[in-house]
mmCIF file of all heavy atoms in Angstrom:
data_model
loop_
_atom_site.group_PDB
_atom_site.id
_atom_site.type_symbol
_atom_site.label_atom_id
_atom_site.label_comp_id
_atom_site.label_asym_id
_atom_site.label_seq_id
_atom_site.Cartn_x
_atom_site.Cartn_y
_atom_site.Cartn_z
ATOM 1 N N ILE A 447 0.861 -1.201 0.015
ATOM 2 C CA ILE A 447 -0.023 0.001 0.003
ATOM 3 C C ILE A 447 0.884 1.243 0.000
ATOM 4 O O ILE A 447 2.045 1.167 0.337
ATOM 5 C CB ILE A 447 -0.967 0.033 1.204
ATOM 6 C CG1 ILE A 447 -0.161 0.029 2.526
ATOM 7 C CG2 ILE A 447 -1.898 -1.170 1.168
ATOM 8 C CD1 ILE A 447 -1.042 0.174 3.761
ATOM 9 N N GLY A 448 0.285 2.377 -0.368
ATOM 10 C CA GLY A 448 0.999 3.622 -0.328
ATOM 11 C C GLY A 448 1.855 3.906 -1.575
ATOM 12 O O GLY A 448 1.416 3.743 -2.719
ATOM 13 N N PRO A 449 3.118 4.313 -1.389
ATOM 14 C CA PRO A 449 3.908 4.816 -2.507
ATOM 15 C C PRO A 449 4.360 3.753 -3.484
ATOM 16 O O PRO A 449 4.502 4.049 -4.677
ATOM 17 C CB PRO A 449 5.120 5.439 -1.821
ATOM 18 C CG PRO A 449 5.229 4.741 -0.486
ATOM 19 C CD PRO A 449 3.776 4.458 -0.110
ATOM 20 N N GLY A 450 4.544 2.506 -3.039
ATOM 21 C CA GLY A 450 4.952 1.437 -3.977
ATOM 22 C C GLY A 450 3.931 1.268 -5.085
ATOM 23 O O GLY A 450 4.285 1.261 -6.290
ATOM 24 N N PRO A 451 2.687 1.073 -4.735
ATOM 25 C CA PRO A 451 1.669 0.898 -5.816
ATOM 26 C C PRO A 451 1.551 2.150 -6.695
ATOM 27 O O PRO A 451 1.276 2.038 -7.911
ATOM 28 C CB PRO A 451 0.373 0.678 -5.035
ATOM 29 C CG PRO A 451 0.789 0.074 -3.777
ATOM 30 C CD PRO A 451 2.130 0.746 -3.436
ATOM 31 N N PHE A 452 1.723 3.345 -6.128
ATOM 32 C CA PHE A 452 1.640 4.568 -6.943
ATOM 33 C C PHE A 452 2.775 4.607 -7.936
ATOM 34 O O PHE A 452 2.585 4.989 -9.088
ATOM 35 C CB PHE A 452 1.670 5.798 -6.040
ATOM 36 C CG PHE A 452 1.264 7.062 -6.773
ATOM 37 C CD1 PHE A 452 -0.055 7.410 -6.912
ATOM 38 C CD2 PHE A 452 2.237 7.920 -7.270
ATOM 39 C CE1 PHE A 452 -0.433 8.575 -7.558
ATOM 40 C CE2 PHE A 452 1.840 9.081 -7.924
ATOM 41 C CZ PHE A 452 0.537 9.387 -8.095
ATOM 42 N N ALA A 453 3.960 4.194 -7.530
ATOM 43 C CA ALA A 453 5.089 4.160 -8.450
ATOM 44 C C ALA A 453 4.839 3.135 -9.555
ATOM 45 O O ALA A 453 5.119 3.394 -10.726
ATOM 46 C CB ALA A 453 6.377 3.802 -7.713
ATOM 47 N N ALA A 454 4.282 1.982 -9.196
ATOM 48 C CA ALA A 454 3.952 0.987 -10.195
ATOM 49 C C ALA A 454 2.879 1.518 -11.165
ATOM 50 O O ALA A 454 2.928 1.222 -12.389
ATOM 51 C CB ALA A 454 3.487 -0.323 -9.543
ATOM 52 N N MET A 455 1.962 2.291 -10.652
ATOM 53 C CA MET A 455 0.932 2.890 -11.510
ATOM 54 C C MET A 455 1.568 3.818 -12.494
ATOM 55 O O MET A 455 1.180 3.860 -13.717
ATOM 56 C CB MET A 455 -0.092 3.662 -10.662
ATOM 57 C CG MET A 455 -1.221 4.306 -11.476
ATOM 58 S SD MET A 455 -1.999 5.704 -10.612
ATOM 59 C CE MET A 455 -0.723 7.002 -10.923
ATOM 60 N N LEU A 456 2.536 4.639 -12.041
ATOM 61 C CA LEU A 456 3.224 5.571 -12.951
ATOM 62 C C LEU A 456 3.889 4.790 -14.101
ATOM 63 O O LEU A 456 3.843 5.220 -15.254
ATOM 64 C CB LEU A 456 4.252 6.417 -12.187
ATOM 65 C CG LEU A 456 3.716 7.349 -11.143
ATOM 66 C CD1 LEU A 456 4.862 7.978 -10.365
ATOM 67 C CD2 LEU A 456 2.843 8.402 -11.719
ATOM 68 N N LEU A 457 4.507 3.703 -13.761
ATOM 69 C CA LEU A 457 5.194 2.893 -14.779
ATOM 70 C C LEU A 457 4.208 2.288 -15.743
ATOM 71 O O LEU A 457 4.418 2.250 -16.965
ATOM 72 C CB LEU A 457 6.057 1.823 -14.117
ATOM 73 C CG LEU A 457 7.148 2.289 -13.149
ATOM 74 C CD1 LEU A 457 7.850 1.139 -12.470
ATOM 75 C CD2 LEU A 457 8.142 3.189 -13.876
ATOM 76 N N ALA A 458 3.073 1.807 -15.184
ATOM 77 C CA ALA A 458 2.017 1.210 -16.043
ATOM 78 C C ALA A 458 1.402 2.275 -16.954
ATOM 79 O O ALA A 458 1.152 2.004 -18.150
ATOM 80 C CB ALA A 458 0.947 0.574 -15.165
ATOM 81 N N ASP A 459 1.178 3.469 -16.453
ATOM 82 C CA ASP A 459 0.650 4.531 -17.262
ATOM 83 C C ASP A 459 1.556 4.852 -18.454
ATOM 84 O O ASP A 459 1.093 5.323 -19.490
ATOM 85 C CB ASP A 459 0.458 5.808 -16.449
ATOM 86 C CG ASP A 459 -0.753 5.807 -15.561
ATOM 87 O OD1 ASP A 459 -1.560 4.847 -15.641
ATOM 88 O OD2 ASP A 459 -0.937 6.757 -14.771
ATOM 89 N N MET A 460 2.827 4.669 -18.268
ATOM 90 C CA MET A 460 3.809 4.954 -19.318
ATOM 91 C C MET A 460 4.075 3.745 -20.208
ATOM 92 O O MET A 460 4.998 3.776 -21.041
ATOM 93 C CB MET A 460 5.140 5.457 -18.703
ATOM 94 C CG MET A 460 5.013 6.797 -18.010
ATOM 95 S SD MET A 460 4.494 8.130 -19.164
ATOM 96 C CE MET A 460 2.918 8.535 -18.480
ATOM 97 N N GLY A 461 3.246 2.714 -20.097
ATOM 98 C CA GLY A 461 3.307 1.615 -21.028
ATOM 99 C C GLY A 461 3.946 0.328 -20.540
ATOM 100 O O GLY A 461 3.983 -0.675 -21.290
ATOM 101 N N ALA A 462 4.508 0.314 -19.322
ATOM 102 C CA ALA A 462 5.130 -0.884 -18.832
ATOM 103 C C ALA A 462 4.095 -1.975 -18.581
ATOM 104 O O ALA A 462 2.945 -1.717 -18.224
ATOM 105 C CB ALA A 462 5.899 -0.575 -17.539
ATOM 106 N N ASP A 463 4.480 -3.227 -18.824
ATOM 107 C CA ASP A 463 3.624 -4.365 -18.489
ATOM 108 C C ASP A 463 3.865 -4.725 -17.022
ATOM 109 O O ASP A 463 4.884 -5.391 -16.709
ATOM 110 C CB ASP A 463 3.991 -5.552 -19.411
ATOM 111 C CG ASP A 463 3.578 -5.326 -20.859
ATOM 112 O OD1 ASP A 463 2.454 -4.805 -21.062
ATOM 113 O OD2 ASP A 463 4.389 -5.609 -21.757
ATOM 114 N N VAL A 464 2.988 -4.283 -16.163
ATOM 115 C CA VAL A 464 3.134 -4.469 -14.731
ATOM 116 C C VAL A 464 2.294 -5.674 -14.272
ATOM 117 O O VAL A 464 1.076 -5.691 -14.505
ATOM 118 C CB VAL A 464 2.764 -3.214 -13.930
ATOM 119 C CG1 VAL A 464 2.990 -3.470 -12.450
ATOM 120 C CG2 VAL A 464 3.602 -2.024 -14.410
ATOM 121 N N LEU A 465 2.939 -6.583 -13.650
ATOM 122 C CA LEU A 465 2.254 -7.744 -13.038
ATOM 123 C C LEU A 465 2.347 -7.624 -11.524
ATOM 124 O O LEU A 465 3.473 -7.591 -10.971
ATOM 125 C CB LEU A 465 2.848 -9.070 -13.480
ATOM 126 C CG LEU A 465 2.266 -10.352 -12.938
ATOM 127 C CD1 LEU A 465 0.782 -10.496 -13.371
ATOM 128 C CD2 LEU A 465 3.040 -11.567 -13.354
ATOM 129 N N ARG A 466 1.235 -7.507 -10.859
ATOM 130 C CA ARG A 466 1.182 -7.330 -9.426
ATOM 131 C C ARG A 466 1.015 -8.698 -8.750
ATOM 132 O O ARG A 466 0.041 -9.417 -9.019
ATOM 133 C CB ARG A 466 0.037 -6.422 -9.030
ATOM 134 C CG ARG A 466 -0.192 -6.317 -7.515
ATOM 135 C CD ARG A 466 -1.528 -5.692 -7.192
ATOM 136 N NE ARG A 466 -1.387 -4.244 -7.051
ATOM 137 C CZ ARG A 466 -2.418 -3.448 -6.697
ATOM 138 N NH1 ARG A 466 -3.625 -3.976 -6.478
ATOM 139 N NH2 ARG A 466 -2.228 -2.166 -6.617
ATOM 140 N N VAL A 467 1.955 -9.066 -7.917
ATOM 141 C CA VAL A 467 1.905 -10.284 -7.137
ATOM 142 C C VAL A 467 1.339 -9.943 -5.745
ATOM 143 O O VAL A 467 1.886 -9.044 -5.098
ATOM 144 C CB VAL A 467 3.280 -10.957 -7.045
ATOM 145 C CG1 VAL A 467 3.246 -12.104 -6.007
ATOM 146 C CG2 VAL A 467 3.709 -11.463 -8.408
ATOM 147 N N TYR A 468 0.330 -10.592 -5.322
ATOM 148 C CA TYR A 468 -0.239 -10.311 -3.962
ATOM 149 C C TYR A 468 -0.528 -11.606 -3.239
ATOM 150 O O TYR A 468 -0.807 -12.654 -3.839
ATOM 151 C CB TYR A 468 -1.478 -9.462 -4.087
ATOM 152 C CG TYR A 468 -2.691 -10.170 -4.673
ATOM 153 C CD1 TYR A 468 -3.657 -10.717 -3.852
ATOM 154 C CD2 TYR A 468 -2.887 -10.283 -6.032
ATOM 155 C CE1 TYR A 468 -4.782 -11.351 -4.370
ATOM 156 C CE2 TYR A 468 -3.970 -10.932 -6.569
ATOM 157 C CZ TYR A 468 -4.927 -11.462 -5.743
ATOM 158 O OH TYR A 468 -5.990 -12.073 -6.275
ATOM 159 N N ARG A 469 -0.463 -11.487 -1.927
ATOM 160 C CA ARG A 469 -0.813 -12.630 -1.073
ATOM 161 C C ARG A 469 -2.322 -12.638 -0.842
ATOM 162 O O ARG A 469 -2.947 -11.596 -0.790
ATOM 163 C CB ARG A 469 -0.094 -12.527 0.277
ATOM 164 C CG ARG A 469 1.416 -12.389 0.205
ATOM 165 C CD ARG A 469 2.071 -12.545 1.563
ATOM 166 N NE ARG A 469 1.399 -11.727 2.571
ATOM 167 C CZ ARG A 469 1.766 -10.458 2.851
ATOM 168 N NH1 ARG A 469 2.760 -9.894 2.197
ATOM 169 N NH2 ARG A 469 1.161 -9.777 3.837
ATOM 170 N N ALA A 470 -2.845 -13.803 -0.609
ATOM 171 C CA ALA A 470 -4.314 -13.930 -0.368
ATOM 172 C C ALA A 470 -4.765 -13.113 0.818
ATOM 173 O O ALA A 470 -5.825 -12.524 0.834
ATOM 174 C CB ALA A 470 -4.690 -15.421 -0.222
ATOM 175 N N ASP A 471 -3.866 -13.024 1.857
ATOM 176 C CA ASP A 471 -4.253 -12.292 3.041
ATOM 177 C C ASP A 471 -4.112 -10.783 2.860
ATOM 178 O O ASP A 471 -4.429 -10.026 3.796
ATOM 179 C CB ASP A 471 -3.402 -12.721 4.266
ATOM 180 C CG ASP A 471 -1.887 -12.493 4.049
ATOM 181 O OD1 ASP A 471 -1.520 -12.097 2.986
ATOM 182 O OD2 ASP A 471 -1.166 -12.732 5.020
ATOM 183 N N GLN A 472 -3.707 -10.336 1.673
ATOM 184 C CA GLN A 472 -3.614 -8.896 1.406
ATOM 185 C C GLN A 472 -4.868 -8.349 0.778
ATOM 186 O O GLN A 472 -5.026 -7.162 0.701
ATOM 187 C CB GLN A 472 -2.433 -8.608 0.443
ATOM 188 C CG GLN A 472 -1.055 -8.655 1.094
ATOM 189 C CD GLN A 472 0.016 -8.265 0.071
ATOM 190 O OE1 GLN A 472 0.168 -8.923 -0.936
ATOM 191 N NE2 GLN A 472 0.687 -7.183 0.332
ATOM 192 N N VAL A 473 -5.799 -9.195 0.396
ATOM 193 C CA VAL A 473 -7.009 -8.741 -0.332
ATOM 194 C C VAL A 473 -7.729 -7.725 0.536
ATOM 195 O O VAL A 473 -8.116 -6.610 0.083
ATOM 196 C CB VAL A 473 -7.895 -9.911 -0.730
ATOM 197 C CG1 VAL A 473 -9.195 -9.399 -1.325
ATOM 198 C CG2 VAL A 473 -7.186 -10.812 -1.700
ATOM 199 N N GLY A 474 -7.986 -8.082 1.806
ATOM 200 C CA GLY A 474 -8.710 -7.146 2.651
ATOM 201 C C GLY A 474 -7.943 -5.868 2.883
ATOM 202 O O GLY A 474 -8.560 -4.785 2.952
ATOM 203 N N LEU A 475 -6.642 -5.966 3.017
ATOM 204 C CA LEU A 475 -5.796 -4.766 3.237
ATOM 205 C C LEU A 475 -5.847 -3.842 2.015
ATOM 206 O O LEU A 475 -6.038 -2.634 2.174
ATOM 207 C CB LEU A 475 -4.386 -5.216 3.471
ATOM 208 C CG LEU A 475 -3.323 -4.047 3.693
ATOM 209 C CD1 LEU A 475 -3.631 -3.269 4.946
ATOM 210 C CD2 LEU A 475 -1.908 -4.636 3.731
ATOM 211 N N LEU A 476 -5.715 -4.387 0.848
ATOM 212 C CA LEU A 476 -5.695 -3.568 -0.347
ATOM 213 C C LEU A 476 -7.075 -2.934 -0.565
ATOM 214 O O LEU A 476 -7.186 -1.773 -0.946
ATOM 215 C CB LEU A 476 -5.301 -4.404 -1.560
ATOM 216 C CG LEU A 476 -3.867 -4.973 -1.497
ATOM 217 C CD1 LEU A 476 -3.641 -5.867 -2.703
ATOM 218 C CD2 LEU A 476 -2.833 -3.865 -1.502
ATOM 219 N N ALA A 477 -8.136 -3.737 -0.367
ATOM 220 C CA ALA A 477 -9.469 -3.192 -0.536
ATOM 221 C C ALA A 477 -9.797 -2.180 0.554
ATOM 222 O O ALA A 477 -10.428 -1.150 0.306
ATOM 223 C CB ALA A 477 -10.514 -4.306 -0.528
ATOM 224 N N GLY A 478 -9.330 -2.453 1.779
ATOM 225 C CA GLY A 478 -9.591 -1.525 2.858
ATOM 226 C C GLY A 478 -8.974 -0.188 2.650
ATOM 227 O O GLY A 478 -9.537 0.852 3.102
ATOM 228 N N ALA A 479 -7.879 -0.135 1.928
ATOM 229 C CA ALA A 479 -7.253 1.164 1.635
ATOM 230 C C ALA A 479 -8.088 2.005 0.616
ATOM 231 O O ALA A 479 -7.807 3.148 0.415
ATOM 232 C CB ALA A 479 -5.860 0.925 1.046
ATOM 233 N N ASN A 480 -9.114 1.359 0.047
ATOM 234 C CA ASN A 480 -9.939 2.057 -0.925
ATOM 235 C C ASN A 480 -11.391 1.945 -0.507
ATOM 236 O O ASN A 480 -12.308 1.753 -1.323
ATOM 237 C CB ASN A 480 -9.773 1.423 -2.284
ATOM 238 C CG ASN A 480 -8.350 1.612 -2.828
ATOM 239 O OD1 ASN A 480 -8.041 2.684 -3.305
ATOM 240 N ND2 ASN A 480 -7.535 0.583 -2.736
ATOM 241 N N GLY A 481 -11.634 2.094 0.793
ATOM 242 C CA GLY A 481 -12.992 2.088 1.309
ATOM 243 C C GLY A 481 -13.700 0.742 1.156
ATOM 244 O O GLY A 481 -14.933 0.688 1.148
ATOM 245 N N GLY A 482 -12.918 -0.319 1.061
ATOM 246 C CA GLY A 482 -13.521 -1.638 0.944
ATOM 247 C C GLY A 482 -13.936 -2.026 -0.449
ATOM 248 O O GLY A 482 -14.446 -3.120 -0.689
ATOM 249 N N ARG A 483 -13.707 -1.136 -1.426
ATOM 250 C CA ARG A 483 -14.139 -1.425 -2.813
ATOM 251 C C ARG A 483 -12.874 -1.581 -3.675
ATOM 252 O O ARG A 483 -12.156 -0.644 -3.948
ATOM 253 C CB ARG A 483 -14.955 -0.272 -3.346
ATOM 254 C CG ARG A 483 -16.279 -0.043 -2.630
ATOM 255 C CD ARG A 483 -16.986 1.172 -3.211
ATOM 256 N NE ARG A 483 -17.244 1.009 -4.609
ATOM 257 C CZ ARG A 483 -17.313 2.004 -5.513
ATOM 258 N NH1 ARG A 483 -17.123 3.256 -5.080
ATOM 259 N NH2 ARG A 483 -17.557 1.796 -6.767
ATOM 260 N N ALA A 484 -12.640 -2.816 -4.094
ATOM 261 C CA ALA A 484 -11.446 -3.066 -4.946
ATOM 262 C C ALA A 484 -11.582 -2.324 -6.256
ATOM 263 O O ALA A 484 -10.596 -1.865 -6.825
ATOM 264 C CB ALA A 484 -11.311 -4.589 -5.223
ATOM 265 N N GLU A 485 -12.799 -2.116 -6.767
ATOM 266 C CA GLU A 485 -12.984 -1.467 -8.054
ATOM 267 C C GLU A 485 -12.640 0.054 -7.964
ATOM 268 O O GLU A 485 -12.444 0.679 -8.988
ATOM 269 C CB GLU A 485 -14.406 -1.640 -8.555
ATOM 270 C CG GLU A 485 -15.466 -0.998 -7.702
ATOM 271 C CD GLU A 485 -16.035 -1.941 -6.638
ATOM 272 O OE1 GLU A 485 -15.335 -2.909 -6.270
ATOM 273 O OE2 GLU A 485 -17.142 -1.710 -6.130
ATOM 274 N N SER A 486 -12.550 0.605 -6.770
ATOM 275 C CA SER A 486 -12.199 2.020 -6.626
ATOM 276 C C SER A 486 -10.703 2.202 -6.400
ATOM 277 O O SER A 486 -10.245 3.297 -6.050
ATOM 278 C CB SER A 486 -12.979 2.680 -5.471
ATOM 279 O OG SER A 486 -12.586 2.114 -4.230
ATOM 280 N N ASP A 487 -9.929 1.148 -6.624
ATOM 281 C CA ASP A 487 -8.484 1.219 -6.450
ATOM 282 C C ASP A 487 -7.886 1.897 -7.650
ATOM 283 O O ASP A 487 -7.319 1.250 -8.558
ATOM 284 C CB ASP A 487 -7.935 -0.202 -6.249
ATOM 285 C CG ASP A 487 -6.403 -0.181 -6.121
ATOM 286 O OD1 ASP A 487 -5.806 0.880 -5.857
ATOM 287 O OD2 ASP A 487 -5.820 -1.281 -6.294
ATOM 288 N N THR A 488 -8.012 3.193 -7.736
ATOM 289 C CA THR A 488 -7.527 3.945 -8.902
ATOM 290 C C THR A 488 -6.013 3.856 -8.998
ATOM 291 O O THR A 488 -5.456 3.887 -10.105
ATOM 292 C CB THR A 488 -7.940 5.419 -8.826
ATOM 293 O OG1 THR A 488 -7.524 5.954 -7.570
ATOM 294 C CG2 THR A 488 -9.446 5.550 -8.933
ATOM 295 N N VAL A 489 -5.312 3.709 -7.848
ATOM 296 C CA VAL A 489 -3.890 3.600 -7.900
ATOM 297 C C VAL A 489 -3.458 2.243 -8.466
ATOM 298 O O VAL A 489 -2.351 2.073 -8.940
ATOM 299 C CB VAL A 489 -3.291 3.797 -6.477
ATOM 300 C CG1 VAL A 489 -1.824 3.505 -6.410
ATOM 301 C CG2 VAL A 489 -3.579 5.226 -6.000
ATOM 302 N N GLY A 490 -4.353 1.263 -8.389
ATOM 303 C CA GLY A 490 -4.020 -0.066 -8.923
ATOM 304 C C GLY A 490 -4.347 -0.282 -10.376
ATOM 305 O O GLY A 490 -4.300 -1.391 -10.887
ATOM 306 N N ARG A 491 -4.582 0.821 -11.060
ATOM 307 C CA ARG A 491 -4.997 0.703 -12.476
ATOM 308 C C ARG A 491 -3.838 0.192 -13.346
ATOM 309 O O ARG A 491 -2.672 0.351 -13.027
ATOM 310 C CB ARG A 491 -5.472 2.069 -12.987
ATOM 311 C CG ARG A 491 -4.416 3.099 -13.172
ATOM 312 C CD ARG A 491 -5.002 4.491 -13.334
ATOM 313 N NE ARG A 491 -3.979 5.502 -13.698
ATOM 314 C CZ ARG A 491 -4.216 6.837 -13.612
ATOM 315 N NH1 ARG A 491 -5.382 7.248 -13.233
ATOM 316 N NH2 ARG A 491 -3.264 7.656 -13.960
ATOM 317 N N GLY A 492 -4.227 -0.355 -14.490
ATOM 318 C CA GLY A 492 -3.261 -0.626 -15.534
ATOM 319 C C GLY A 492 -2.436 -1.889 -15.414
ATOM 320 O O GLY A 492 -1.469 -2.070 -16.132
#
């Protein structure tokens, strides 16, 4: 969470093929950072 995903977003916006590896126990954490809605994870785009 935080700056790492934002940096990855910047790279993806510029055309990089970014593959995000996540642990199953991170799903709640990542969604929680976006009000519980994974679809509102604008930083996770691309």
Side-chain angles (χ1 to χ4, degrees):
I447 60 174
F452 193 84
M455 182 204 77
L456 295 175
L457 301 176
D459 282 354
M460 293 299 114
D463 291 316
V464 181
L465 179 63
R466 173 194 270 183
V467 170
Y468 69 97
R469 305 189 312 269
D471 60 355
Q472 284 183 298
V473 174
L475 177 66
L476 296 175
N480 296 281
R483 297 177 58 209
E485 64 270 20
S486 65
D487 179 18
T488 55
V489 173
R491 70 194 188 194

